[in-house]
Amino acid sequence: MSVNLSNYPTPFSAKEIRVSNVTRIQRENTSTAYIAVVERGLIGSIVYDAENQRGIITKYDKEGKETESFQSIKESRVSEIANKIEEGDIYGGALVWNIRKEDSDVTYDSDTRELYINGVITLPDSAHRHLAIASRYGEVINGAYPLNQWPILIYHLGYDEEKELFSELNNRGERANPNRRAYMDTDKEKYYNDIAHRLIERDCLKGYVETAKSGFSGAGPKFMTFRTISEGLREGLLLKVDVDDDKRREATNHMEEYITFIRDRCWELNYSGEEGRKEAAEKSLLARDIGVQILIQLGAFLFSYPDWETRLEFLGKEYELSSPKWKGNLFSRENPIWLNKVIFPDPSGNKLIVLNRTETRDFLFRKLLEFSGIKGKEGDK
């Protein structure tokens, strides 16, 4: 969202503000903070001090003249939060204010639990949430909107301390790994994620899917990650189920049957113990993320093929290659068809490694379509 700074109050113009229902948090040798639920209409001016927050983006015309300056705000994120407010969904944590020590005075009345502010409020965090609230209720950010629906954490910090708080809240947090982020994403518009959530509760996968970290190891039974399933479904379904719940249920049922089918035929998906895992990883592509993802993608792709079981008769059977002459498990790391396509010599040349890249996944998927009697990724129907 292009937020023009001229629309906001001049920074640090003092204004008296009274906040009710305030709880003071004060510990020895630390700055004072307050938790409040603010009534509608009690807010004075909220200042976006860009230099202490996300910075200012400046645009120029072809002649090099400045045409626009605005706060670094993501319009898509503001819209996303505003939509969730509209739908009554959760949208994030508490709003965060700072009453800057250099520019403001604060008095707290413990009897009435009121906080008197003579100064301005800056935002060391939650700028997108403030803008979403303002957007949702159609009022300017420094006006009155129903803040009583959200808890507010109020700090009383100096300029440099405010910068430190912004950095702590926005830069230093430990981000969840990609697999966990995918698992925690409950956006129903992402049909592939929704189906993945349904699928991992079915008997074919319950207890076999890692949802907390990006990999798996040791002697446990887990042999795939949630993100691997989600990505495979996304690539394979190609909007075949869009937002229709009945279709999603049908796709989940199909995938349950499919996974049961391939686990009956692929030993690599049924190993047990640490030694079994090690053996599978050393011998087969299917014990790697790339193999599992492509199998999920293949199953999703075959959703529209009633004869999918017949097409997969090659699974579990010995594969024979005439040139060069070779016989063995189709997914064996020794199978020549994967060499320099999916499996490559490592830089030292002492061993072969599996590469999980767009081009290697594409090659593996196309080969499995070929074995399934399907011509190309668009199918032959």
Side-chain angles (χ1 to χ4, degrees), residues 305-341:
Y305 288 78
D307 62 340
W308 64 268
E309 291 186 55
T310 303
R311 291 177 177 275
L312 298 178
E313 288 181 349
F314 66 91
L315 289 176
K317 293 184 177 180
E318 189 172 64
Y319 175 72
E320 188 169 354
L321 191 63
S322 56
S323 180
K325 192 171 182 61
W326 188 85
K327 183 187 295 187
N329 186 315
L330 172 63
F331 298 103
S332 170
R333 288 165 59 104
E334 297 179 356
N335 189 338
I337 67 171
W338 310 128
L339 186 61
N340 295 321
K341 299 294 185 180

Side-chain angles (χ1 to χ4, degrees), residues 280-314:
E282 289 176 348
K283 291 184 177 181
S284 175
L285 292 177
L286 294 191
R288 303 281 180 167
D289 276 350
I290 182 175
V292 173
Q293 180 173 327
I294 296 307
L295 279 183
I296 296 294
Q297 183 177 341
L298 177 65
F301 189 90
L302 292 173
F303 175 51
S304 56
Y305 288 78
D307 62 340
W308 64 268
E309 291 186 55
T310 303
R311 291 177 177 275
L312 298 178
E313 288 181 349
F314 66 91

Side-chain angles (χ1 to χ4, degrees), residues 92-126:
L95 303 178
V96 181
W97 296 352
N98 184 45
I99 307 159
R100 196 173 290 165
K101 287 181 178 178
E102 292 89 342
D103 308 292
S104 306
D105 294 319
V106 175
T107 302
Y108 177 67
D109 188 326
S110 58
D111 293 328
T112 62
R113 294 181 59 207
E114 291 182 326
L115 186 68
Y116 295 89
I117 304 168
N118 182 14
V120 295
I121 297 167
T122 58
L123 296 179
D125 193 36
S126 66

Side-chain angles (χ1 to χ4, degrees), residues 76-364:
S76 59
R77 179 62 179 148
V78 173
S79 298
E80 179 185 4
I81 297 171
N83 290 337
K84 288 186 176 182
I85 294 172
E86 180 78 33
E87 295 164 4
D89 294 336
I90 60 171
Y91 73 97
L95 303 178
V96 181
W97 296 352
N98 184 45
I99 307 159
R100 196 173 290 165
K101 287 181 178 178
E102 292 89 342
D103 308 292
S104 306
D105 294 319
V106 175
T107 302
Y108 177 67
D109 188 326
S110 58
D111 293 328
T112 62
R113 294 181 59 207
E114 291 182 326
L115 186 68
Y116 295 89
I117 304 168
N118 182 14
V120 295
I121 297 167
T122 58
L123 296 179
D125 193 36
S126 66
H128 288 83
R129 277 167 275 168
H130 276 83
L131 287 170
I133 295 168
S135 169
R136 163 64 182 83
Y137 292 101
E139 299 175 72
V140 294
I141 196 68
N142 63 313
Y145 44 81
L147 284 172
N148 60 301
Q149 297 181 24
W150 293 272
I152 300 177
L153 183 58
I154 304 174
Y155 289 91
H156 188 207
L157 304 173
Y159 182 84
D160 290 335
E161 292 174 302
E162 182 183 299
K163 289 176 69 174
E164 178 70 15
L165 178 62
F166 177 87
S167 183
E168 186 68 36
L169 294 174
N170 292 277
N171 301 338
R172 295 176 186 160
E174 184 64 29
R175 213 176 170 203
N177 64 68
N179 184 44
R180 188 63 182 176
R181 292 202 299 271
Y183 176 73
M184 296 298 289
D185 190 343
T186 57
D187 184 355
K188 297 298 183 183
E189 293 298 314
K190 296 178 180 177
Y191 60 90
Y192 46 91
N193 240 36
D194 184 31
I195 295 172
H197 274 286
R198 301 176 189 215
L199 187 58
I200 65 174
E201 294 301 319
R202 300 291 180 92
D203 288 341
C204 63
L205 286 181
K206 197 166 187 176
Y208 294 104
V209 179
E210 179 59 69
T211 61
K213 55 185 181 180
S214 290
F216 39 83
S217 59
K222 297 175 180 178
F223 65 92
M224 65 174 70
T225 64
F226 179 87
R227 186 167 181 249
T228 296
I229 300 171
S230 178
E231 287 297 302
L233 291 170
R234 182 176 65 84
E235 293 290 334
L237 287 170
L238 300 175
L239 294 176
K240 292 176 184 176
V241 294
D242 50 57
V243 295
D244 185 277
D245 191 68
D246 289 337
K247 207 70 172 175
R248 294 186 187 194
R249 191 178 301 110
E250 185 181 342
T252 305
N253 293 339
H254 161 75
M255 290 303 300
E256 182 180 22
E257 292 180 18
Y258 169 80
I259 290 171
T260 301
F261 179 90
I262 62 173
R263 291 195 70 190
D264 284 343
R265 288 157 179 78
C266 301
W267 70 271
E268 307 96 316
L269 303 181
N270 294 284
Y271 56 75
S272 61
E274 191 168 359
E275 288 303 315
R277 182 190 299 278
K278 183 178 179 182
E279 179 186 11
E282 289 176 348
K283 291 184 177 181
S284 175
L285 292 177
L286 294 191
R288 303 281 180 167
D289 276 350
I290 182 175
V292 173
Q293 180 173 327
I294 296 307
L295 279 183
I296 296 294
Q297 183 177 341
L298 177 65
F301 189 90
L302 292 173
F303 175 51
S304 56
Y305 288 78
D307 62 340
W308 64 268
E309 291 186 55
T310 303
R311 291 177 177 275
L312 298 178
E313 288 181 349
F314 66 91
L315 289 176
K317 293 184 177 180
E318 189 172 64
Y319 175 72
E320 188 169 354
L321 191 63
S322 56
S323 180
K325 192 171 182 61
W326 188 85
K327 183 187 295 187
N329 186 315
L330 172 63
F331 298 103
S332 170
R333 288 165 59 104
E334 297 179 356
N335 189 338
I337 67 171
W338 310 128
L339 186 61
N340 295 321
K341 299 294 185 180
V342 180
I343 299 175
F344 298 82
D346 75 347
S348 69
N350 295 326
K351 62 179 181 179
L352 296 175
I353 57 176
V354 179
L355 293 185
N356 189 354
R357 296 175 176 170
T358 301
E359 59 270 23
T360 56
R361 291 194 298 270
D362 187 65
F363 178 82
L364 182 54

